[in-house]
Amino acid sequence: MAGRVNIGELARLLGISKASVSYALNGQPGVSDQTRARVLELARELQWYPSSSARALSGGRAGVVGVVLAREPEVIGTEPYYMLVISGIESVLIHSEYALLLRMVTAEPGRDLAVYEKWAGEKRVDGVMLFDQRRADPRIPLVQLLGLPAVLHGVPGSGARIRAVVPDERGDAERVVGHLHALGHRRVAHLTGPLDLLHEERRDELMREVAARRGMLVETVPADYTVDTAARLVAQHLRRRGGPTAWVASNDLMALGAMRAAAAAGVGVPGQVSVLSWDDSMLCEVGAPPMTALDRHPREYGRLSARALLDEIAGVADDGAVPQPSELRVRASTGPAAP
């Protein structure tokens, strides 16, 4: 019977108007809680669900939230952090009436903007989560112009009026730098992602600030989150005399690249140089040696971001929830600074 049921049939079976059925199914006001419960119960019994396009055309919600990741697909496919965040997002959405629509586009300017415009024009999504904010990021004014509820995953740029789930990046820098300082390291290399990303820029600033207070020097080495680029850059520095005694990489893949370069150069880890990853993952645990890493609880971060977006869509005030503090997982890749 599910294939023959429509709103009119539900209304006839319940003895109410089609408008009341539509209000109940789309979560709109205009019906009592008892009527809404009757409509939803019958729809479930008949295994009938309103299409997202029909709901959008009727002014209801699409039941979908969107994420656009503007990085090369092969990078996203090998970087565990994003998959862990998305698993946290899904763990919230699975208990709601919402599904996740994920698109991956290249970092070419404007590719992601076109997706948001298409989604808004087609009423495909009810809201979006924004990752990897850049300086003068055009996505924030765009989603505001389009009327798309949005939540930023990270620190908002100056003047950006948008709900955000903000990590304790200063605390993270204190943990990383403090660990290396306690081991006697005074010259540290920071292998970053692209510095036009605000979280990378702020992370590097905080590393330098915290290190300077402790009498340490930080050398910034910009990279692109990939193993190969990291290995090439670290290999160049290992050939220098008086170079850094520790490397801090912005993700686990680049930390693996640093380890690969050290092994190829015959440089012992951690005997001659220490390696630390800003992101923890299974890759850090199974490396040889296992890598010291900052566990930033990405699943919980994803859960908070999803809840914040659902609240934004529903018009619920920002409760200011923040991610739980990161924890440094000390493993065998960090040790006392070489003399």
Side-chain angles (χ1 to χ4, degrees):
M1 184 175 183
R4 299 191 299 273
V5 173
N6 55 31
I7 286 180
E9 182 66 11
L10 290 173
R12 186 188 67 79
L13 292 171
L14 291 166
I16 60 178
S17 69
K18 289 193 290 185
S20 295
V21 172
S22 178
Y23 293 153
L25 292 171
N26 289 319
Q28 295 177 311
V31 293
S32 67
D33 291 342
Q34 182 180 8
T35 297
R36 192 185 309 278
R38 289 176 59 212
V39 172
L40 294 176
E41 182 178 1
L42 181 60
R44 281 193 294 268
E45 287 178 2
L46 299 179
Q47 298 180 351
W48 182 86
Y49 305 92
S51 69
S52 60
S53 59
R55 282 184 294 192
L57 289 171
S58 68
R61 292 176 177 161
V64 178
V65 297
V67 171
V68 181
L69 296 179
R71 290 193 190 178
E72 296 300 329
E74 56 268 25
V75 174
I76 295 172
T78 56
E79 189 173 29
Y81 178 81
Y82 279 111
M83 297 304 104
L84 292 170
V85 171
I86 289 170
S87 73
I89 293 170
E90 289 283 18
S91 72
V92 170
L93 297 183
I94 198 171
H95 297 295
S96 73
E97 296 296 322
Y98 283 87
L100 175 66
L101 179 57
L102 174 65
R103 281 290 307 274
M104 291 183 286
V105 300
T106 63
E108 179 185 347
R111 293 295 298 273
D112 53 348
L113 302 182
V115 175
Y116 296 119
E117 290 172 348
K118 181 179 177 65
W119 282 353
E122 296 177 350
K123 298 185 178 179
R124 184 77 62 86
V125 299
D126 298 315
V128 293
M129 275 173 269
L130 305 178
F131 289 77
D132 294 336
Q133 189 185 1
R134 300 176 184 271
R135 290 191 293 271
D137 197 319
R139 295 175 301 169
I140 293 176
L142 176 64
V143 297
Q144 292 172 335
L145 178 66
L146 295 172
L148 270 179
V151 165
L152 177 64
H153 184 93
V155 179
S158 177
R161 296 183 178 180
I162 186 171
R163 189 184 299 220
V165 180
V166 182
D168 179 17
E169 292 182 319
R170 180 175 295 277
D172 290 347
E174 293 280 1
R175 292 177 189 92
V176 168
V177 174
H179 173 67
L180 295 175
H181 183 270
L183 291 171
H185 295 278
R186 298 298 180 264
R187 301 184 310 280
V188 177
H190 185 201
L191 192 60
T192 75
L195 288 174
D196 63 333
L197 296 175
L198 287 188
H199 70 271
E200 289 291 350
E201 180 182 61
R202 177 165 174 75
R203 186 179 296 175
D204 191 57
E205 290 174 352
L206 289 169
M207 280 271 296
R208 289 171 173 277
E209 177 187 323
V210 172
R213 290 204 317 265
R214 296 172 183 264
M216 301 167 67
L217 295 176
V218 174
E219 179 180 355
T220 303
V221 183
D224 61 1
Y225 295 124
T226 66
V227 173
D228 291 342
T229 298
R232 175 175 55 81
L233 292 171
V234 173
Q236 293 171 0
H237 283 72
L238 289 176
R239 290 193 288 267
R240 292 166 32 195
R241 288 184 177 273
T245 60
W247 283 80
V248 176
S250 270
N251 73 347
D252 44 3
L253 295 179
M254 292 198 296
L256 285 175
M259 300 267 281
R260 177 187 294 179
V267 174
V269 176
Q272 294 170 275
V273 67
S274 289
V275 177
L276 187 152
S277 171
W278 204 279
D279 284 338
D280 190 24
S281 73
M282 184 64 71
L283 295 178
C284 297
E285 296 183 50
V286 301
M291 280 188 294
T292 297
L294 196 62
D295 183 355
R296 297 189 291 136
H297 309 295
R299 285 194 180 90
E300 177 61 19
Y301 203 172
R303 285 191 283 268
L304 285 177
S305 296
R307 293 189 191 109
L309 181 55
L310 295 183
D311 285 348
E312 183 74 12
I313 292 169
V316 177
D318 189 351
D319 63 3
V322 297
Q324 66 187 101
S326 303
E327 297 176 68
L328 189 68
R329 308 297 184 190
V330 179
R331 302 187 181 102
S333 69
T334 52

